Amino acid sequence: MDRIRTGVIGAGAISGIYLTNLISTFDCFDVAGVAAGHIENARRKAEEFHIRAYTADEMLADPSIELIIILTPVASHYDLIRKALEAGKHVYTEKTMTETSRQAAELISLADAKHLYLGSAPDTFLGTAFQTARKAIDEGKPGRIHSFSAAVTRNNDVLTAYFPFLRQQGAGALRDYLVYYLTVLVSLLGPVESVSAAIRAPYRKRMNNVPGTAGYGEEIETPNESIIAAVLQMKNGIIGTVTENNETIGADIAAFSLYGTKGVLQLGNPNLFGQLPKLLAPKSWHMEEAQELEAAGFYSGNARGLGPAEMVHAIYEGRRHRANEKLAFHVLEVIEAMETSQKEGRMVKVESDFDIPAFFDENYNRK
C-alpha cells in the first residue's frame, strides 16, 4: 500500500506524540509537514521532526497533500475542516469534530458530496484495552448488560494552569474529557436514546497557584463547565450514569463498569490505550477477585494517530473507517443533549444513529 501524503495542522502539546507515531510507528503516512497559527511554532516543530513548516493556507493549497490531520483547539475545527474538504483532502481531527452538531452535519454533507473521508478523535477505543472489552462483550463473558456507571475526577486548579487552552470556549469538561468516556461507552454498547443531565461551572475565575506556569499568582478566567452528572438511556434499553468532577484533588481517578448478568466488566481510563479490563464474576455464593482479561489487539502504548491510520487503510480498502464521522457526530449530539437538558430541565432525545465498530484486531501499520 502506498503511503498517503499527510499534513498536520497544529503544533501544540498533543502534536509531539502524533508526529512521532505518524512518522515512526505507522507505515502508511508520508508526513509532508506541520502548520500552525503562528509560523514560528510550526518551524520549531518542523525542525524537531525534520519536516517542512507551512502556514495553514500553504498546506491546504499543496496539491500533493491528500490527508489533513487537525490538532488545533475545537473552536477552529469547523473552518479548517471545511477548507480542507473544499480543497479535496480527506480529514481527521482531534476531538470534538466541531463545537456544534449543526456545524458537524454541514461538514459531513460536504465530505459525502466530495466522496472524501472524515474522521474524528478520540481513537483510544481502538486500543488494546477497549478492544479487549469489545471481544469480551462479543463473547458474552459479562452476560447480558443492563446498566453501567462511569465516574471520573480531575483537578482544574492544576489543569487550567498548565493547559491554558482549557480556558477557551469549547474546552470544558464535556468536550475536552468526558468525550473519551462517551466514545468508549457508545463504541461498546451502541447509540444513546435519551439524556438527562445537570452541569455546573462553579469557579469562573480562580487564582493560578501553580509555580512555573504562565500567570502564576494571578487570577485567571475559567468559564467552562467542570462538573457533570448525567443519566443515559441507550437505544438497546441499557441505562447508566456518567459523572465528572474536575473540582477535586483527584487526578484522573476513573471508575468505569458495565454490569452484566454473568459478571461486572471493569474498564480502565478511556484517555489511555492499554489499561486492560477486569471481569468480576460470581463463584458459588461469593464474589471472587476481578480477573484481568487476556489482551486482544496490538496498541497498548500511547498510539495517538491510530484512528487516522485505520482510516487510511479504510480509504484504500473502500470501506467505512471505525473512528468515523457518524460515531463522532452521535457523541457530539449526546453532549449537546446534556447541555439542553441542563438548560431546560428535562430528558432530551438523541436522534442520530451509527453502526457499532467491529472488533479491531488487525496488525495495521506497525513498524
Side-chain angles (χ1 to χ4, degrees):
M1 189 184 78
D2 292 337
R3 295 171 183 260
I4 193 167
R5 187 76 166 162
T6 302
V8 174
I9 300 180
I14 198 67
S15 65
I17 187 61
Y18 260 95
L19 286 166
T20 296
N21 288 340
L22 297 178
I23 294 169
S24 302
T25 300
F26 306 113
D27 65 4
C28 60
F29 300 102
D30 173 17
V31 179
V34 59
H38 299 287
I39 189 64
E40 60 271 20
N41 293 337
R43 286 174 180 149
R44 280 195 293 269
K45 194 65 66 172
E47 183 178 357
E48 178 183 353
F49 286 93
H50 309 290
I51 53 179
R52 176 182 166 184
Y54 289 80
T55 67
D57 287 342
E58 287 172 342
M59 181 172 284
L60 294 173
D62 186 338
S64 74
I65 294 177
E66 303 169 81
L67 168 65
I68 296 291
I69 297 177
I70 297 171
L71 308 179
T72 59
V74 66
S76 65
H77 287 185
Y78 168 76
D79 187 55
L80 288 171
I81 295 171
R82 179 179 55 80
K83 288 179 178 178
L85 292 173
E86 288 174 344
K89 304 180 190 303
H90 305 293
V91 180
Y92 183 91
T93 184
E94 255 298 320
K95 44 67 175 170
T96 54
M97 186 191 300
T98 53
E99 290 185 272
T100 70
S101 61
R102 178 189 57 78
Q103 293 173 328
E106 179 185 330
L107 296 175
I108 290 170
S109 294
L110 178 59
D112 286 345
K114 289 186 168 290
H115 306 290
L116 294 168
Y117 277 66
L118 175 58
S120 181
D123 58 3
T124 50
F125 75 94
L126 295 173
T128 298
F130 299 105
Q131 289 309 299
T132 301
R134 168 81 277 150
K135 187 171 184 284
I137 293 170
D138 291 345
E139 293 174 349
K141 288 183 177 178
R144 182 176 178 182
I145 296 170
H146 287 289
S147 69
F148 60 86
S149 63
V152 61
T153 64
R154 307 191 91 199
N155 187 340
N156 259 6
D157 284 338
V158 173
L159 291 172
T160 56
Y162 275 112
F163 304 106
F165 77 88
L166 292 174
R167 310 171 204 167
Q168 298 178 14
Q169 180 181 348
L174 281 167
R175 287 170 177 78
D176 180 68
Y177 204 68
L178 201 64
V179 62
Y180 289 99
Y181 284 78
L182 294 174
T183 300
V184 164
L185 182 70
V186 301
S187 76
L188 294 175
L189 301 182
V192 176
E193 182 175 78
S194 57
V195 175
S196 179
I199 302 171
R200 300 288 184 267
Y203 304 109
R204 296 185 180 273
K205 294 183 179 180
R206 69 186 74 213
M207 290 298 297
N208 180 352
N209 293 318
V210 180
T213 60
Y216 170 59
E218 300 175 1
E219 187 176 67
I220 56 176
E221 301 281 342
T222 56
N224 293 315
E225 77 284 348
S226 58
I227 301 176
I228 303 110
V231 176
L232 280 64
Q233 180 167 307
M234 317 302 280
K235 292 189 177 181
N236 57 14
I238 299 172
I239 59 174
T241 59
V242 177
T243 64
E244 180 171 349
N245 180 359
N246 288 3
E247 302 298 352
T248 184
I249 61 170
D252 293 345
I253 300 172
F256 191 1
S257 296
L258 311 181
Y259 301 96
T261 55
K262 294 181 181 179
V264 177
L265 196 58
Q266 300 174 343
L267 306 177
N269 186 338
N271 191 31
L272 305 175
F273 288 83
Q275 283 189 351
L276 287 176
K278 297 179 179 180
L279 184 66
L280 182 65
K283 186 175 183 180
S284 183
W285 291 101
H286 305 283
M287 297 298 288
E288 62 183 358
E289 184 178 349
Q291 299 297 309
E292 187 172 274
L293 296 178
E294 182 180 355
F298 298 93
Y299 299 94
S300 59
N302 191 343
R304 308 283 173 177
L306 178 56
E310 195 273 341
M311 187 175 84
V312 169
H313 277 258
I315 291 170
Y316 283 110
E317 294 166 12
R319 59 170 175 81
R320 175 166 290 283
H321 51 305
R322 287 171 170 84
N324 63 65
E325 74 286 359
K326 290 189 176 182
L327 174 61
F329 180 89
H330 182 77
V331 171
L332 182 54
E333 189 186 2
V334 171
I335 289 171
E336 288 186 331
M338 291 181 180
E339 294 170 327
T340 301
S341 177
Q342 162 62 32
K343 181 179 179 180
E344 300 181 1
R346 63 180 179 88
M347 182 76 76
V348 177
K349 188 172 179 60
V350 178
E351 300 293 342
S352 60
D353 205 345
F354 67 93
D355 294 326
I356 296 176
F359 174 61
F360 173 66
D361 67 346
E362 291 86 349
N363 190 4
Y364 282 159
N365 326 308
R366 299 178 80 234
K367 288 188 176 179

